[in-house]
């Protein structure tokens, strides 16, 4: 979401471009490989809430953030 707030879209979100920096902390996640990024006006309409039911893409509003949350299993229910 931070790059979207700065007006950019990554355009290549995949596991190979997500890095966990264990030196800083196990929860320090970074995106790499910005060679395909482009200007972007994010139209996200909903908050990202972990372990919630996934919203439908049209309701969410931003295709890249919706795809990133879905492929990273952010919305996977947890008991």
């Amino acid at each position: 979401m931070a790059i979207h707030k700065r007006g950019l879209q990554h355009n290549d979100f995949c596991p190979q471009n997500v890095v966990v920096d264990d030196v800083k902390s196990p929860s320090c996640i970074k995106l790499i490989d910005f060679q395909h990024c482009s200007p972007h006006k994010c139209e996200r309409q909903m908050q990202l809430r972990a372990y919630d039911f996934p919203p439908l893409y049209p309701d969410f509003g931003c295709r890249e953030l919706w795809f990133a949350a879905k492929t990273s299993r952010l919305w996977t229910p947890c008991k």
Side-chain angles (χ1 to χ4, degrees):
M1 289 185 350
I3 65 169
H4 282 234
K5 287 180 182 179
R6 288 173 175 78
L8 295 173
Q9 180 166 286
H10 189 273
N11 292 321
D12 193 17
F13 183 86
C14 62
Q16 297 87 332
N17 291 332
V18 179
V19 177
V20 177
D21 186 351
D22 287 333
V23 173
K24 287 188 176 182
S25 118
S27 61
C28 184
I29 299 170
K30 297 179 180 183
L31 287 178
I32 60 171
D33 190 9
F34 283 84
Q35 71 183 27
H36 300 290
C37 77
S38 63
H40 174 68
K41 182 181 183 314
C42 191
E43 297 181 4
R44 179 175 55 97
Q45 301 294 315
M46 304 174 85
Q47 294 295 319
L48 281 170
R49 292 191 183 104
Y51 310 120
D52 206 351
F53 290 103
L56 298 174
Y57 159 69
D59 296 334
F60 190 74
C62 178
R63 183 181 310 270
E64 184 171 70
L65 289 178
W66 183 87
F67 177 76
K70 183 175 172 147
T71 58
S72 63
R73 299 183 200 183
L74 179 75
W75 292 313
T76 301
C78 180
K79 291 187 178 191

